[in-house]
Amino acid sequence: MVLRNYIKEDAAIICKWLRTEEELYRWSADRFNKFPLLETDINNNYMPQIETRRFIPLTAVDEEENLLGHFIIRYPREDVDSTVRFGFVILNPDLRGIGYGKEMLRLGIEYVKDNLSAKRIDLGVFANNDNARFCYESIGFREYSRRKCEMPIGVWECIDMELFMA
């Protein structure tokens, strides 16, 4: 597995991984609010943010360039470079539960260490997504707060997690 920069053609495959409305909201929180999601929705959201150079979408691929997973790294605050946030973390549903998510996130952590000046990574995971939370914990993320998020399909509890890099 390697990480490469997201390309607009990735969106079609990512959309196929979002099979239900609940999966869409677990992946995107309230950033899209549209199911089914179309590739143009992702690209129209990403392209202006990429131009800021504070939003880095990455895609995990195998040696044949088959998409395995995807996530973004963004700076949550305009004036702070010491923290980045992982978001839109998704893995091909056929590959979940066998270590691919951990490997993709480990590569993401290495990307931050090698390319950015951040010393802290945070992310949010919904309390109704145990598998993702266990994955994040297994690579060192720790809970630091909880909050309620009003989603179009209900109120969900979000767990904010962080990882400090040496």
Side-chain angles (χ1 to χ4, degrees), residues 5-161:
N5 290 328
Y6 168 88
I7 57 174
K8 64 180 181 159
E9 291 79 12
D10 295 346
I13 295 169
I14 294 167
C15 287
K16 289 178 186 169
W17 294 342
L18 301 166
R19 303 165 298 187
T20 67
E21 191 173 22
E22 185 172 315
E23 284 181 339
L24 168 74
Y25 288 110
R26 280 187 181 168
W27 174 67
S28 66
D30 61 354
R31 301 292 180 181
F32 289 102
N33 292 332
K34 177 186 177 208
F35 183 81
L37 195 63
L38 303 175
E39 49 194 283
T40 53
D41 300 322
I42 294 175
N43 288 322
N44 290 342
N45 179 289
Y46 280 17
M47 293 312 150
Q49 295 186 81
I50 290 170
E51 291 176 11
T52 69
R53 304 180 67 82
R54 297 183 71 76
F55 181 92
I56 306 158
L58 298 169
T59 300
V61 296
D62 65 15
E63 55 279 345
E64 283 95 37
E65 278 289 309
N66 295 308
L67 269 65
L68 307 173
H70 169 74
F71 69 103
I72 62 103
I73 301 170
R74 69 179 176 87
Y75 291 90
R77 293 189 42 194
E78 179 105 11
D79 58 341
V80 176
D81 289 347
S82 60
T83 293
V84 292
R85 187 167 180 91
F86 283 3
F88 295 153
V89 179
I90 191 167
L91 198 65
N92 176 335
D94 296 334
L95 303 176
R96 293 177 186 162
I98 54 176
Y100 283 90
K102 290 178 192 176
E103 179 62 19
M104 181 176 73
L105 292 167
R106 281 190 195 108
L107 290 171
I109 293 164
E110 288 303 313
Y111 180 94
V112 171
K113 287 179 181 177
D114 293 345
N115 299 287
L116 307 174
S117 61
K119 299 298 178 208
R120 178 180 173 268
I121 303 170
D122 77 351
L123 56 78
V125 62
F126 290 111
N128 65 4
N129 195 351
D130 286 335
N131 291 340
R133 183 171 45 86
F134 296 148
C135 177
Y136 302 144
E137 288 172 346
S138 74
I139 58 170
F141 282 89
R142 297 293 170 248
E143 178 180 332
Y144 70 90
S145 72
R146 290 183 179 235
R147 56 195 162 87
K148 297 291 183 192
C149 295
E150 289 195 35
M151 308 296 291
I153 59 173
V155 177
W156 289 0
E157 183 178 38
C158 182
I159 303 167
D160 288 307
M161 303 180 83

